């Protein structure tokens, strides 16, 4: 794992976003196209802004998949990850070759099957991910399923995960946060050729320490990133502040 520690979230977003842009351009140059996964949430703001600012990416050759989405949340809701990606990414760049967003308003098992069949046709070149306050990777909360071969799964969200969503301002109360989501599975994420993991802020410091300094365990889901051959982890001084070295 390549670990980069920036002074602040702004610098982190600039460095991680430039790396993502470089990898996407390289995939297009090598193969004529690129397949990417995009995450959402506050941790991705800077990375996505930098990626969008790279005007020399031929987005017409890029296919995008989506990491996770709440079950039962309408597209109009401020916390909808589909809404996030449409407004913060898809409407900010030229039309993509294709984009596959998760629809949390339809039958979740059928949606998992639909997306799973699609993503298996598109080996992923670059994925932008983060780490949750509870150490989750996508919405794979502890104890995460490290074994399923299904690319997308229905997951139950634990209280710490749901509190994080409320505390970030996406929901007014804990009761408003959905209890289930559709998430890309851990094994599917790990199939990505290059992972860009952006984790700013002090509130993530304990999760970063747990996932880097413990043995790989589904109790610290993002610890699995230790086993990825091409994972770049982008921290700032606060999120790295509890690391022993």
């Amino acid at each position: 794992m390549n670990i980069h520690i920036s002074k602040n979230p702004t610098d982190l977003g600039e460095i991680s976003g430039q790396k993502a842009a470089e990898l996407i351009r390289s995939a297009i140059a090598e193969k004529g196209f690129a397949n990417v996964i995009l995450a959402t949430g506050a941790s991705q703001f800077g990375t996505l802004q930098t990626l969008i600012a790279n005007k020399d990416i031929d987005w017409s050759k890029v296919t995008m998949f989506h990491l996770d989405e709440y079950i039962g949340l309408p597209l109009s809701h401020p916390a909808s990850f589909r809404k996030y990606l449409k407004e913060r990414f898809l409407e900010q760049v030229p039309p993509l070759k294709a984009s596959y967003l998760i629809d949390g308003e339809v039958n979740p098992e059928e949606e998992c099957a639909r997306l799973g069949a699609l993503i298996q046709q598109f080996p992923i070149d670059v994925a932008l991910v983060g780490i949750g306050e509870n150490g989750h990777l996508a919405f794979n909360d502890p104890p995460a399923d490290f074994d399923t071969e299904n690319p997308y799964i229905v997951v139950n969200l634990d209280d710490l995960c749901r509190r994080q969503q409320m505390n970030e301002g996406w929901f007014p109360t804990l009761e408003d946060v959905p209890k289930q989501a559709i998430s890309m599975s851990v094994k599917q994420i790990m199939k990505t050729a290059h992972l860009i993991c952006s984790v700013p802020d002090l509130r993530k410091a304990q999760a970063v320490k747990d996932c880097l300094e413990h043995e790989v365990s589904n109790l610290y889901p993002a610890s699995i990133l230790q086993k990825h051959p091409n994972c770049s982890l982008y921290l700032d001084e606060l999120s790295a502040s509890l690391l022993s070295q």
Side-chain angles (χ1 to χ4, degrees):
M1 185 183 292
N2 299 307
I3 300 173
H4 308 262
I5 301 176
S6 299
K7 186 172 182 61
N8 53 54
T10 300
D11 291 349
L12 183 159
E14 174 69 21
I15 297 169
S16 59
Q18 292 295 359
K19 180 63 175 179
E22 173 192 324
L23 291 170
I24 292 170
R25 287 193 298 265
S26 294
I28 294 171
E30 180 181 339
K31 305 184 302 179
F33 60 88
N35 303 320
V36 304
I37 296 167
L38 296 187
T40 55
S43 67
Q44 301 299 311
F45 288 163
T47 305
L48 283 178
Q49 287 171 356
T50 300
L51 183 58
I52 290 165
N54 277 261
K55 303 302 183 183
D56 57 347
I57 295 174
D58 186 350
W59 292 107
S60 70
K61 296 179 179 178
V62 176
T63 296
M64 184 206 80
F65 284 87
H66 171 187
L67 257 191
D68 45 27
E69 179 61 284
Y70 298 105
I71 289 176
L73 203 68
L75 178 61
S76 59
H77 194 285
S80 164
F81 293 150
R82 286 177 294 161
K83 177 181 175 68
Y84 178 115
L85 286 174
K86 284 185 175 183
E87 294 180 351
R88 295 178 181 273
F89 181 73
L90 293 172
E91 294 175 2
Q92 306 300 321
V93 297
L96 271 61
K97 182 177 181 180
S99 58
Y100 298 107
L101 299 177
I102 303 168
D103 187 347
E105 298 183 82
V106 298
N107 181 291
E109 298 293 349
E110 292 178 0
E111 183 69 348
C112 288
R114 179 185 77 89
L115 292 165
L118 282 167
I119 201 168
Q120 292 183 72
Q121 303 173 43
F122 297 90
I124 304 299
D125 300 296
V126 186
L128 305 186
V129 299
I131 297 175
E133 291 177 29
N134 64 352
H136 71 201
L137 186 62
F139 264 148
N140 297 288
D141 289 342
D145 187 342
F146 278 4
D147 299 320
T148 182
E149 297 289 346
N150 295 331
Y152 284 88
I153 57 176
V154 174
V155 295
N156 296 316
L157 304 180
D158 70 17
D159 282 348
L160 185 55
C161 170
R162 294 173 66 236
R163 286 186 184 280
Q164 176 184 332
Q165 309 309 315
M166 180 189 71
N167 292 336
E168 287 182 357
W170 302 108
F171 298 92
T173 71
L174 185 62
E175 289 69 31
D176 292 308
V177 184
K179 295 183 178 180
Q180 286 190 309
I182 293 173
S183 178
M184 188 175 290
S185 68
V186 171
K187 275 199 171 180
Q188 179 61 46
I189 294 168
M190 291 293 284
K191 291 178 181 178
T192 301
H194 296 273
L195 288 173
I196 304 290
C197 185
S198 300
V199 194
D201 303 329
L202 182 61
R203 61 195 174 88
K204 300 290 184 73
Q206 186 62 52
V208 167
K209 180 179 177 66
D210 289 341
C211 292
L212 290 183
E213 297 187 354
H214 281 278
E215 294 294 324
V216 173
S217 166
N218 68 348
L219 298 178
Y220 310 103
S223 66
I224 194 71
L225 298 178
Q226 295 178 36
K227 293 190 171 185
H228 195 278
N230 293 299
C231 177
S232 294
L233 177 63
Y234 294 88
L235 309 174
D236 63 9
E237 290 182 354
L238 292 177
S239 63
S241 61
L242 297 182
L243 294 176
S244 61
Q245 57 181 349

